[in-house]
Amino acid sequence: ALEARAASQAFKWPCRNVNNHFSRFLHLVDNQSVFGILPKGRSSSYVLHAVAALSCLAIASMCVPFHAYCETDRNPADAGRRDQPEGDPT
């Protein structure tokens, strides 16, 4: 649920700016269940259904979200975390 919420917030953030309206956005996700939920915009889970319902925001801002699956090891968002050795505090 946290990764789905993070993906929905990543789409909401650029839609706040009027200059980004009528745009397309690519979001990389590394969770296959989130990847299955977000493009369809629906889920049988009550918690994930509220997160996945982004269609009203997409219509209002005329933005189109594209979601692509990326393996966890190749995810560019996790690059800073993966470079640190195991014992170091973050």
Side-chain angles (χ1 to χ4, degrees):
L2 292 176
E3 290 192 29
R5 191 175 302 142
S8 67
Q9 289 294 333
F11 176 62
K12 288 179 185 179
W13 180 69
C15 291
R16 290 180 181 179
N17 190 351
V18 177
N19 294 331
N20 292 333
H21 289 194
F22 299 95
S23 299
R24 293 174 279 185
F25 299 101
L26 174 66
H27 298 282
L28 299 175
V29 293
D30 59 355
N31 189 327
Q32 288 185 353
S33 61
V34 173
F35 179 65
I37 291 169
L38 290 176
K40 289 187 278 184
R42 63 183 189 269
S43 173
S44 60
S45 171
Y46 178 73
V47 174
L48 296 178
H49 178 70
V51 172
L54 295 174
S55 59
C56 59
L57 179 63
I59 292 171
S61 63
M62 297 302 291
C63 294
V64 180
F66 290 104
H67 303 281
Y69 176 74
C70 181
E71 294 178 6
T72 305
D73 298 338
R74 301 184 73 172
N75 193 348
D78 293 342
R81 268 190 350 191
R82 299 197 186 280
D83 292 339
Q84 296 178 352
E86 281 290 321
D88 292 349
T90 54

